[in-house]
């Protein structure tokens, strides 16, 4: 057999392959500009919530070891290097609580870690750190001050700290942060960072259904400048990376502008935390714009999860769509100066809990305590490509 050009068929095929490869190579030339440097990656991780720890500890010891190794081991896992720790209760707890529920304890004399810390979160965190060959950076995030310190006398709903920056309530709340670091240090755990408040916009919504506390950019700025920053520095925690916002990027760059244009507040801040909810409202370039305005402050994606919105099924087993949503968001973040990406709960049960407020969601690992099993969701494998 011959082609119309008279060449044997196999030689013609070789010729076509050569020409095709030539053009493919020409179209895929990568040029590296060494004069342009982008962000240094901090890492990837998830949250040691009460719910995550409860689910992990509901398994037999060998299965517990396997689930923790799946996230943190260099040989058996995806090597997470960041862990978020709620400072007290969140919705992913089995009850409402803080570390200072005794009224009028402005000196935090009765501040104490909860059973959930001592028997659940801390043992799991220690196991994770023992399995990791890398440094795992922990950061804490508060959901609410004690009810007696708030305008609505509740851990939920629309409410903020009583008074204003510089008063006894704001100084006591700053002391709460320092006490948290100090009590965890007594347990052998030190923290790389803190966020000033989880989703400060939640606490400005009437009848909000789970733990929250409201802040404006202005009130957060003033509190950091007058109370939180000085307290952390005075008590030897000035090296802890303090992050502002810890909320959706719809608040950027305005929130960052308000806080960081104040020189006193800015000197205590290291970074800006962002969540992925409502991303369709604000384009990824919002992150780049924020970086351009404040290049000395890192951007970290501090929370994301699937199945959180009304009418969504909370847990969807084997959903590659949800895994692809994770990958899409991570890539968009990395292309816009974000230094890392932190998932929400490390592990949940089949209903997406426990969650005292019934705010169930999905997770990369789902636990079935009755069968002493856990299931790695597609989200887990998508995260592993990055971590």
């Amino acid at each position: 057999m011959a082609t119309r050009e008279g060449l044997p068929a196999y030689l013609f095929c070789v010729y076509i392959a050569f020409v095709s490869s030539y053009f493919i190579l020409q179209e895929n030339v990568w040029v590296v500009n060494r004069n342009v440097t982008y962000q240094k990656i901090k890492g990837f991780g998830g949250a040691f919530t009460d719910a995550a720890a409860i689910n992990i500890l509901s398994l037999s010891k060998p299965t517990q070891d396997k689930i923790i190794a799946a996230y943190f081991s260099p040989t058996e896992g995806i090597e997470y290097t960041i862990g978020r720790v709620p400072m007290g209760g969140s919705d992913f707890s089995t009850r409402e609580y803080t570390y200072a529920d005794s009224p009028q304890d402005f000196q935090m004399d009765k501040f104490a870690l909860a059973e959930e810390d001592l028997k659940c979160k801390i043992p799991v965190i220690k196991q994770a750190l023992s399995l990791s060959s890398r440094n795992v950076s922990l950061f804490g995030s508060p959901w609410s001050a004690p009810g007696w310190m708030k305008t609505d006398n509740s851990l939920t709903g629309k409410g903020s700290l009583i008074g204003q920056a510089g008063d006894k309530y704001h100084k006591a709340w700053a002391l709460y942060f320092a006490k948290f670091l100090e009590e965890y240090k007594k347990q052998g755990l030190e923290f790389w960072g803190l966020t000033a408040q989880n989703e400060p916009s939640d606490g400005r919504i009437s009848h909000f259904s789970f733990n929250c506390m409201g802040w404006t950019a202005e009130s957060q700025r003033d509190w950091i400048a007058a109370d939180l920053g000085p307290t952390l520095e005075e008590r030897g925690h000035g090296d802890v990376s303090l992050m502002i916002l810890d909320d959706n990027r719809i608040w950027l760059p305005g929130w960052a502008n308000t806080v960081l244009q104040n020189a006193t507040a800015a000197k205590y801040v290291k970074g800006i935390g962002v969540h992925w909810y409502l991303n369709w409202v604000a384009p990824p370039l919002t992150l780049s714009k924020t970086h351009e305005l404040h290049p000395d402050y890192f951007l970290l994606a501090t929370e994301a999860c699937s199945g959180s919105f009304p009418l969504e099924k909370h847990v969807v087993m084997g959903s590659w769509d949800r895994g692809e949503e994770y990958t899409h968001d991570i890539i968009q973040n990395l292309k816009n100066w974000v230094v890392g990406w932190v998932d929400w709960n490390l592990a949940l049960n089949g209903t997406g809990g426990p969650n005292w407020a019934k705010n169930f969601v999905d997770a990369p690992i789902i636990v079935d305590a009755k069968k002493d099993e856990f299931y790695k969701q597609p989200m887990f494998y998508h995260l592993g490509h990055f971590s």
Side-chain angles (χ1 to χ4, degrees), residues 137-216:
S137 298
L138 301 175
F139 71 94
S141 298
W143 264 246
S144 177
W148 61 269
M149 298 178 70
K150 296 175 63 182
T151 55
D152 62 342
N153 196 34
S154 173
L155 302 191
T156 65
K158 185 178 182 179
S160 56
L161 278 182
I162 295 170
Q164 58 188 4
D167 69 12
K168 61 183 181 180
Y169 287 95
H170 285 69
K171 291 190 180 303
W173 184 231
L175 181 57
Y176 184 104
F177 279 62
K179 287 277 193 176
F180 170 79
L181 296 173
E182 290 156 13
E183 291 302 313
Y184 259 79
K185 187 173 183 178
K186 290 178 184 177
Q187 299 296 321
L189 295 173
E190 297 198 42
F191 278 70
W192 159 78
L194 294 167
T195 70
Q197 172 66 43
N198 174 71
E199 296 183 354
S201 63
D202 290 350
R204 302 184 67 205
I205 300 172
S206 296
H207 311 295
F208 195 79
S209 62
F210 58 84
N211 320 50
C212 62
M213 186 159 69
W215 297 85
T216 63

Side-chain angles (χ1 to χ4, degrees), residues 114-133:
E115 184 174 290
E116 286 86 343
D117 296 272
L118 298 172
K119 294 185 177 181
C120 298
K121 287 185 287 194
I122 289 174
V124 172
I125 294 170
K126 286 185 173 181
Q127 176 72 350
L129 269 56
S130 71
L131 289 174
S132 178
S133 62

